[in-house]
Amino acid sequence: MRRKKTYHYKQRSRKLEMDNQSSSRWRKFILVLNCITLGIGYCGGPLISRLYFLHGGQRIWLSSWLACIGWPIILIVLIIAYFFRLKIQGPDTNFIFITRQEFTSSAALGILVGLAGYLYAWGPAKLPVSTSTVIYAAQLGFTVVFAFLIVKQKLTVYSVNAVVLLIVGAGTLALRADSDRPKGESTKQYVLGFVMTLLAAASTGLALPLLELIYMKAQKNITYIMILEIQMILNIFGSAFCTVGMIVNKDFQAISREASRFEVGKAKYYLVLVWSAIIWQFSTLGIVGVVQYGSSLLCGILIAFLLPLTELLGVLLFHETFQVTKGLAIFLSLWGFVSYLYGEMKQSHQKKKKREENPISQTEVVQTSPV
């Protein structure tokens, strides 16, 4: 009798192990998918925003509003997913999964996201893309600090080194403000764009751990549908915040006038606005997915990792100058990224080695369980 029960426990243990492996593969697939989505958003977003300002666009509140207003795309996906579940699960299917607490937290965070979007819009408005992206890389440093304070993320020598290098890398750009300043723009405007972009990096660095905290305090397992719901709420309240700014600044009345004066034509003006809303939605979708299936720090690392590609694209597409200080900033930012990545790999290797030294398999635990 004991042998039969032991065999039964072994079979159940193997099945559970296979289920866990399948779940792990699915999580990795979703994580990779969200990393790609984040890459599309964070490379394409600054470029199309800069395109808007280069050809005559002047509305910063409008630019920040476009970064959030694409939330109806997520709503369409949620409606399709609901009818798909309804067909399989029947009339008891819930349309919304998040709780009131998660809704309230996401709404409050959405206002911070809207503020970060407004601050970030100053970068493409006043700075070359290659410059604003290097400054924004400092968000990884802010993310590390806030993750340590909010979600108790453990810091290592490598992560602290990354913080210092990224901040120094962003700071080197301030040394050559006059030579990098676009034509017709004052030093005051350039410095304002620099400061606002740095504040945007700090806001993003705060928002990522707060998003991770929402997941940690959730009263149920976070599904991908819940991630989409949280993203939609973030963008609804972020766009509401920016809408108030647009109303006060009278941006809605100025859209038609700005379109008629847009250098490449009225039709392309509206096309730029539509694609801005779509591309920036990729970035927020990638953020909430990477934070859930990875961590806020991993999200910050990926954003910093996308820096060189966005930098080069800005130089190639908009023929921006590439100076020694800019190259030094990229080098320091990449050095910080590699330092952090090496530290994470080393820590992961130590954990794996410790598990191998103290192997406690699920099967062994089952075998020693009382009958």
Side-chain angles (χ1 to χ4, degrees):
M1 187 68 179
R2 175 185 289 271
R3 289 182 179 179
K4 287 184 179 180
K5 287 187 176 182
T6 302
Y7 175 77
H8 173 71
Y9 286 133
K10 284 182 178 180
Q11 291 294 101
R12 190 170 64 179
S13 176
R14 291 192 188 100
K15 185 179 184 302
L16 183 61
E17 185 178 354
M18 291 175 64
D19 290 342
N20 289 338
Q21 289 177 353
S22 177
S23 176
S24 177
R25 284 194 294 267
W26 171 250
R27 288 179 63 88
K28 288 179 181 178
F29 171 76
I30 295 296
L31 177 59
V32 171
L33 183 63
N34 279 279
C35 289
I36 295 172
T37 304
L38 180 63
I40 294 172
Y42 261 90
C43 286
L47 294 172
I48 198 166
S49 294
R50 186 59 179 165
L51 183 67
Y52 163 77
F53 288 109
L54 279 177
H55 292 292
Q58 298 178 345
R59 299 286 166 171
I60 294 177
W61 275 112
L62 172 60
S63 180
S64 61
W65 182 74
L66 291 171
C68 302
I69 199 59
W71 60 264
I73 299 172
I74 303 302
L75 179 60
I76 293 172
V77 175
L78 289 174
I79 291 173
I80 293 173
Y82 169 72
F83 281 108
F84 180 77
R85 295 196 313 273
L86 187 66
K87 186 177 180 181
I88 297 175
Q89 300 174 5
D92 295 332
T93 303
N94 293 327
F95 179 71
I96 297 176
F97 286 97
I98 60 172
T99 63
R100 182 180 300 177
Q101 178 183 344
E102 292 153 8
F103 175 87
T104 304
S105 301
S106 300
L109 184 57
I111 295 174
L112 177 61
V113 169
L115 174 62
Y118 170 72
L119 293 170
Y120 182 78
W122 281 84
K126 304 298 181 183
L127 307 172
V129 171
S130 53
T131 301
S132 62
T133 50
V134 174
I135 299 170
Y136 195 67
Q139 61 79 32
L140 176 55
F142 291 111
T143 302
V144 171
V145 173
F146 287 124
F148 172 75
L149 297 174
I150 296 172
V151 294
K152 310 303 179 184
Q153 177 73 42
K154 292 182 179 180
L155 294 181
T156 64
V157 175
Y158 302 99
S159 58
V160 173
N161 183 53
V163 172
V164 174
L165 289 170
L166 284 162
I167 293 175
V168 172
T172 56
L173 293 175
L175 301 176
R176 295 289 300 274
D178 289 334
S179 59
D180 189 46
R181 190 174 68 247
K183 292 181 180 180
E185 185 175 293
S186 65
T187 302
K188 182 180 178 181
Q189 289 176 318
Y190 182 94
V191 172
L192 183 61
F194 183 95
V195 172
M196 288 296 196
T197 305
L198 195 60
L199 289 174
S203 301
T204 303
L206 175 61
L208 294 178
L210 287 176
L211 179 60
E212 187 173 2
L213 185 65
I214 292 175
Y215 293 148
M216 291 172 62
K217 291 186 174 295
Q219 299 175 2
K220 61 180 79 173
N221 292 329
I222 300 291
T223 64
Y224 198 67
I225 295 297
M226 289 181 64
I227 289 176
L228 294 178
E229 291 173 356
I230 289 173
Q231 184 209 357
M232 187 178 71
I233 294 167
L234 289 175
N235 282 291
I236 287 174
F237 282 86
S239 59
F241 175 85
C242 295
T243 299
V244 174
M246 288 184 68
I247 293 172
V248 173
N249 202 44
K250 298 182 179 180
D251 280 10
F252 287 108
Q253 297 91 319
I255 289 177
S256 58
R257 296 195 304 269
E258 197 172 66
S260 62
R261 295 195 299 264
F262 203 58
E263 293 178 0
V264 291
K266 190 173 183 179
K268 290 184 179 178
Y269 173 83
Y270 289 108
L271 195 62
V272 167
L273 297 190
V274 171
W275 275 106
S276 293
I278 294 173
I279 291 175
W280 278 117
Q281 199 61 211
F282 276 90
S283 67
T284 50
L285 177 61
I287 285 173
V288 293
V290 171
V291 171
Q292 164 59 17
Y293 292 100
S295 67
S296 57
L297 272 183
L298 175 60
C299 188
I301 290 168
L302 286 172
I303 293 173
F305 181 70
L306 294 168
L307 161 68
L309 180 57
T310 310
E311 170 90 15
L312 293 175
L313 288 172
V315 172
L316 293 173
L317 296 176
F318 301 131
H319 306 290
E320 297 173 353
T321 57
F322 193 89
Q323 300 154 342
V324 175
T325 51
K326 203 172 290 186
L328 178 61
I330 292 177
F331 172 74
L332 291 173
S333 299
L334 287 175
W335 185 6
F337 166 73
V338 171
S339 173
Y340 180 84
L341 187 63
Y342 175 77
E344 287 296 297
M345 292 174 63
K346 187 174 181 180
Q347 194 173 30
S348 177
H349 178 73
Q350 289 175 347
K351 289 180 179 178
K352 184 178 179 181
K353 187 177 180 180
K354 188 178 291 185
R355 285 196 302 267
E356 289 174 351
E357 290 175 352
N358 301 285
I360 304 177
S361 67
Q362 191 170 8
T363 305
E364 289 173 338
V365 171
V366 172
Q367 286 178 329
T368 55
S369 301
V371 179

